[in-house]
Amino acid sequence: MNTIFISIASFIDTDLRNTILSCINQAKYPENLSFGVVLQYNNEEETNKRCIDDLIEKYNIRIKKYWFEESQGGCWARNKVSSLYIDEDFVLQLDAHIRMVKNWDVFLIKEYLELKQNISKPLISYLSPSFFRNEDLGLDYNFNHINNPYIINVPTIKSITDDYWPIFEGYANEAYTNKRPNNVSLLYAGFVFTQGDWLLEVKNDPEHYYTGEEFALSIRSYTHGYDIYIPSKIMSWHLSRPNHIHHFKVLDGNKNHIKAMEQLYKLIFGGDLGEYGLGTKRTLEQYEEFAKIDFKTKTIL
């Protein structure tokens, strides 16, 4: 039995229920799934404190609930999720607005174990292509690349900003996978699948915020010995909606952003980050060489 812990941080998200049910209904072995949810709620009908209580009674869902104004952002919430993990074999970190393909659990475990034959710590992560939803009708539609699931975003660093986080193209940088996983230097926090203890070994820094989050996680995962791969084919879709509620759109996140940039600078140039620092399996210089970047000059090699 291969158990999977599904980590979800939900900030006033009307799609949380649909995401949980998609994971369950599309899995071949839903009995092997458990969920850790940090619910950051308000008083609206679909996003209040009790909005998924019926699912909690029916499925294996562990939850922490916070009034949305208590929230310190997505990394803070994902850090809280890690306390709900109980030694499951694998972890799948997801955004709260995702749809999964049929038998996603079997496929991801198979691909992970195949990579594991030659790699100590494989980590599968990518930018899920988009889908849309008609909320009035309750219908999902326009699943991008559904007829060609081997077209996937390849995260590629285009430039380094003055704050030392990378600009990398999203959906504009897609390529054919050749039906095999491909080694990359960046992960996407909205879809991460790997061994379960990654959630504790590379625990989200609660003082990170939004910009630079994925870069910091990529560097820390790499230096802890993880090799990042995009999957050989599409495993999920990400809801596209212009009115998506971000923490920084609802609450003043400027001080959180400033602190996050300080954390990123310490990670790159040295500073006491405690358990949120670099790993010891590889060096930062090895990451630079692999990612083909130079932090000091902020250039792409």
Side-chain angles (χ1 to χ4, degrees):
M1 180 175 69
N2 290 307
T3 55
I4 303 174
F5 177 80
I6 301 173
S7 166
I8 301 176
S10 175
F11 184 77
I12 319 178
D13 203 311
T14 59
D15 202 63
L16 173 61
R17 166 182 294 272
N18 300 325
T19 297
I20 292 172
L21 290 176
S22 178
C23 290
I24 293 168
N25 294 334
Q26 296 291 83
K28 185 170 184 178
Y29 301 107
E31 65 275 11
N32 292 343
L33 307 181
S34 57
F35 293 81
V37 177
V38 166
L39 179 70
Q40 299 152 91
Y41 64 90
N42 62 6
N43 284 329
E44 299 298 320
E45 181 178 357
E46 293 183 307
T47 52
N48 65 36
K49 190 175 184 178
R50 298 168 299 281
C51 63
I52 61 166
D53 278 4
D54 59 318
L55 298 183
I56 295 169
E57 293 176 2
K58 188 175 181 181
Y59 302 111
N60 187 8
I61 300 174
R62 306 164 206 147
I63 193 165
K64 288 190 171 185
K65 301 179 180 183
Y66 300 91
W67 176 246
F68 76 96
E69 291 178 323
E70 295 179 72
S71 172
Q72 296 299 310
C75 296
W76 171 88
R78 285 184 170 128
N79 178 278
K80 296 292 186 184
V81 176
S82 64
S83 67
L84 300 171
Y85 168 72
I86 309 179
D87 295 328
E88 283 84 359
D89 298 313
F90 299 99
V91 60
L92 175 62
Q93 179 174 287
L94 288 180
D95 282 341
H97 30 272
I98 295 289
R99 299 295 181 273
M100 305 298 290
V101 300
K102 193 69 176 175
N103 296 332
W104 62 268
D105 52 335
V106 173
F107 179 84
L108 279 174
I109 291 171
K110 178 177 181 292
E111 192 139 285
Y112 173 90
L113 293 177
E114 288 173 352
L115 288 169
K116 183 75 172 174
Q117 293 176 13
N118 298 304
I119 298 162
S120 176
K121 292 180 176 181
L123 183 152
I124 299 170
S125 180
Y126 80 122
L127 177 63
S128 302
S130 64
F131 78 96
F132 293 83
R133 180 172 176 81
N134 185 314
E135 295 290 354
D136 294 333
L137 298 177
L139 294 176
D140 301 329
Y141 67 97
N142 196 13
F143 287 81
N144 198 22
H145 299 315
I146 193 169
N147 294 320
N148 190 355
Y150 303 103
I151 301 294
I152 287 183
N153 162 264
V154 181
T156 305
I157 299 173
K158 300 299 182 182
S159 61
I160 303 291
T161 70
D162 288 340
D163 286 326
Y164 298 97
W165 51 272
I167 302 295
F168 51 101
E169 295 180 357
Y171 293 121
N173 194 42
E174 295 181 325
Y176 180 64
T177 66
N178 290 315
K179 299 184 179 180
R180 58 181 176 80
N182 289 276
N183 195 195
V184 295
S185 60
L186 294 167
L187 61 76
Y188 281 96
F191 190 104
V192 177
F193 182 83
T194 187
Q195 62 191 50
D197 56 7
W198 172 82
L199 203 64
L200 303 179
E201 190 178 9
V202 193
K203 189 186 299 184
N204 273 271
D205 182 347
E207 293 194 290
H208 240 288
Y209 189 53
Y210 186 74
T211 301
E213 165 205 4
E214 291 161 326
F215 196 32
L217 268 184
S218 300
I219 294 170
R220 291 177 58 223
S221 294
Y222 184 86
T223 58
H224 276 86
Y226 289 87
D227 289 287
I228 305 167
Y229 283 79
I230 58 173
S232 62
K233 67 178 182 179
I234 291 169
M235 284 286 97
S236 57
W237 288 269
H238 182 279
L239 178 58
S240 178
R241 53 186 175 187
N243 61 343
H244 176 65
I245 300 174
H246 286 286
H247 185 277
F248 58 81
K249 291 181 179 179
V250 177
L251 303 169
D252 181 9
N254 185 57
K255 65 178 181 179
N256 303 70
H257 171 75
I258 292 171
K259 181 62 178 177
M261 294 301 95
E262 291 173 354
Q263 295 293 93
L264 183 59
Y265 188 88
K266 288 180 182 178
L267 187 69
I268 295 170
F269 293 104
D272 184 9
L273 294 174
E275 64 179 317
Y276 306 114
L278 298 174
T280 59
K281 301 298 184 182
R282 297 183 180 122
T283 65
L284 183 69
E285 290 74 22
Q286 286 176 298
Y287 179 80
E288 287 182 280
E289 182 179 358
F290 174 65
K292 295 181 171 56
I293 58 176
D294 185 294
F295 284 119
K296 289 182 180 177
T297 61
K298 291 177 274 193
T299 57
I300 310 302
L301 304 177

